[in-house]
Amino acid sequence: MIIHILAGGPEKNIPSLRPYDQKDVSWVGVDHGVYRLVNQGIIPIAAFGDFDSVTKKEWEDIRGHVLEINQFKPEKDETDMELAFNWAVAQNPSTIRLFGATGGRLDHFMANVQLLLRKESLHPSLKIEIIDTNNIIHIASYGEYTVEKLNDKKFISFIPLTADVENLTLKGFKYPLTNRNIPLGSTLCISNELIQSQGTFSFTNGILMVIRSQD
């Protein structure tokens, strides 16, 4: 099962959803993201939020199309995205992709990144990505990974999220590494590029944020 979640981030940061709207995908809307889905003819299987960012007409459209609406008071312990994310994880999907989760308020963006750092998010059977028009972000715990070259997002960065990422090795990259320890706060692995159709990265301890980007 693949679940795509659309939140209410700035429209300019949201890529075209049609390439991601495949028959094996279930959509979930968050707050104004629910209306955006409905407006594009994509009916989410569930909606979450306090819906304080939608107009009366948009709310009527949402209620007329979406069967499962989970409405909450603005005063709550979780963000709207967190509520939708928790629901998605409970469905035991193979993949969760978050759209509309970047741009605008930095506190919302950082909160969304924090969701990827949860223990359940790091389970090897679950792939989670944050996608916008210029970036694809995912979190990797220690292990070995293969990455494919993306012509539209040629830059790839590795950002340590723990005190030490140990023995990072990059193969097939313009700037290779062999068993290098990367401390928290290092910018050593920013803006690398693949020079082959695919490459590998591996490390023996720690957590990395992996960002595929375009200018």
Side-chain angles (χ1 to χ4, degrees), residues 3-171:
I3 297 177
H4 290 172
I5 303 175
L6 177 63
E11 193 99 38
K12 65 180 181 179
N13 296 104
I14 301 173
S16 171
L17 300 180
R18 288 300 171 188
Y20 298 96
D21 186 28
Q22 302 165 356
K23 65 179 182 179
D24 57 345
V25 169
S26 296
W27 286 90
V28 173
V30 176
D31 207 72
H32 196 261
V34 184
Y35 176 74
R36 287 176 176 168
L37 288 172
V38 170
N39 194 45
Q40 294 186 46
I42 301 173
I43 306 304
I45 62 173
F48 295 83
D50 51 39
F51 299 100
D52 59 355
S53 64
V54 301
T55 66
K56 183 177 179 181
K57 182 184 182 304
E58 291 170 345
W59 177 240
E60 291 173 353
D61 286 344
I62 290 170
R63 292 184 62 185
H65 289 89
V66 183
L67 293 179
E68 182 181 339
I69 299 176
N70 300 276
Q71 187 176 15
F72 301 86
K73 294 180 179 181
E75 300 81 11
K76 55 187 182 299
D77 293 335
E78 303 89 354
T79 64
D80 293 339
M81 174 64 91
E82 183 177 5
L83 293 166
F85 185 84
N86 290 344
W87 180 92
V89 170
Q91 310 310 305
N92 295 314
S94 61
T95 303
I96 299 174
R97 295 187 176 98
L98 310 182
F99 302 86
T102 65
R105 288 176 53 174
L106 285 177
D107 56 343
H108 285 175
F109 170 65
M110 293 303 297
N112 293 333
V113 170
Q114 290 293 310
L115 295 176
L116 276 61
L117 290 169
R118 291 182 173 186
K119 181 179 179 180
E120 60 269 30
S121 302
L122 295 170
H123 195 282
S125 66
L126 178 58
K127 177 181 179 181
I128 305 176
E129 296 177 326
I130 295 176
I131 299 175
D132 66 20
T133 50
N134 293 319
N135 308 281
I136 301 173
I137 302 170
H138 78 273
I139 304 298
S141 56
Y142 61 88
E144 182 172 349
Y145 302 85
T146 299
V147 288
E148 303 291 334
K149 190 172 186 177
L150 301 177
N151 292 328
D152 65 332
K153 291 180 175 63
K154 69 174 185 177
F155 301 110
I156 180 166
S157 298
F158 302 92
I159 301 173
L161 296 179
T162 50
D164 262 318
V165 170
E166 297 179 358
N167 299 310
L168 179 61
T169 296
L170 307 177
K171 297 180 180 179

